[in-house]
Amino acid sequence: PYTTLFRSEEQCWLSYIGALIQAKHIDDARIVLSYGLEAGLAGEDVEALVVAIESHSTQALSPPSSIEDELITFFSEQKYQEVEQDILELVKLYPYWLVGWKILSDTLLVQKKDARLPAFRALELNSGDPKEHCYYGLVLKNQGDLIGAASAFEQAIKLKPDYAAAYNNLGIVNKDMGDVEAGVRNYRCALKLNPGYASCYSNLLFCLSHSEKIGTKALFAEHRKFSEQYERPLKSSQTTHSHSRDPERCLQIGFVSADFRDHALAYFIEPLLNYLSVSKNLTRSEERRVGKEC
């Protein structure tokens, strides 16, 4: 039916496509033109319409680079609400702006808001890119959708079988869902692809500590292997400290950990500090003196 229609009313439909372009209904114009091309439409007028559609599509993809740079600057300055408001308006004008949807997703994530819709929109625009599936999986994981996240990471691996980061992320989700052995398998796949992947090896060690299929000696050997691979090469560059090695001196201890920010450890460490402040072998007067020194 399309063949008869386009051949008998060719100029009418070419004019209709032109009107759609002028009205900036670019998607509709592209669809109608595709029907015409399938039906055999050709010639200079058709080629001109193709050029016009592509020209308008390119213009509609993204705002000027200066706007994008400004938003990224605002994001780096932690002006998240301002970025969110501006992006929400911009994506209405530029619905095919991939970077914009990702900036919006990141902005929502850092504010602990639901970022699934903009992340999914970015995925729709770039579905052939394994990194886009991996990013979408990270967003779903952050929102608590572990099953969806696992599916996204698996799709990333399907598109890029040597994608070490996707295997690592899938291992994290496996572990979080309680499938320790699947997590171990995926961590090992990632390490086989990228032997220098230290954070993945750390994830593997944590997962192995929950595995019923590894003994104490084998687990200790895995930790020793980590040390040999990642610590030993750095020993030559370690700073030599000039502190006293007198075993009788007061030992000053400092605790440094990113887990003090957002981890169960932060809720339990403070009471412990009270018991570390003084030595039980000292008299009360000595405890007061040492407490001031330490």
Side-chain angles (χ1 to χ4, degrees), residues 33-201:
L33 180 58
S34 69
Y35 292 154
L37 294 174
E38 290 177 4
L41 283 181
E44 293 182 0
D45 290 340
V46 175
E47 292 175 2
L49 289 174
V50 172
V51 172
I53 288 174
E54 294 305 317
S55 174
H56 280 76
S57 297
T58 301
Q59 293 173 7
L61 282 178
S62 62
S65 59
S66 58
I67 293 178
E68 188 173 300
D69 293 340
E70 183 179 23
L71 289 168
I72 293 174
T73 299
F74 286 164
F75 184 91
S76 66
E77 294 173 349
Q78 300 183 9
K79 298 177 181 178
Y80 302 128
Q81 291 185 348
E82 185 173 346
V83 174
E84 179 184 349
Q85 293 171 1
D86 289 347
I87 290 279
L88 285 173
E89 292 302 318
L90 285 166
V91 293
K92 293 178 183 178
L93 299 173
Y94 305 99
Y96 302 104
W97 183 27
L98 175 61
V99 174
W101 287 110
K102 296 189 74 169
I103 293 175
L104 177 57
S105 178
D106 288 341
T107 303
L108 294 175
L109 279 176
V110 78
Q111 296 180 88
K112 299 187 182 300
K113 296 181 180 180
D114 193 338
R116 286 174 291 183
L117 287 178
F120 181 70
R121 183 63 179 135
L123 179 63
E124 285 183 318
L125 294 171
N126 200 21
S127 60
D129 188 343
K131 291 184 178 180
E132 207 66 65
H133 287 273
C134 201
Y135 176 82
Y136 184 56
L138 290 172
V139 171
L140 293 180
K141 177 182 177 297
N142 184 277
Q143 307 291 168
D145 182 1
L146 299 182
I147 295 176
S151 178
F153 295 138
E154 288 168 353
Q155 181 61 27
I157 293 169
K158 183 177 180 180
L159 292 170
K160 183 177 171 59
D162 61 346
Y163 198 172
Y167 277 108
N168 176 62
N169 291 329
L170 181 56
I172 293 173
V173 171
N174 292 149
K175 180 262 297 177
D176 289 348
M177 290 194 295
D179 193 344
V180 172
E181 303 311 323
V184 169
R185 287 195 301 272
N186 282 304
Y187 290 140
R188 292 199 186 281
C189 284
L191 288 169
K192 184 176 180 180
L193 293 167
N194 182 6
Y197 202 162
S199 60
C200 179
Y201 205 139

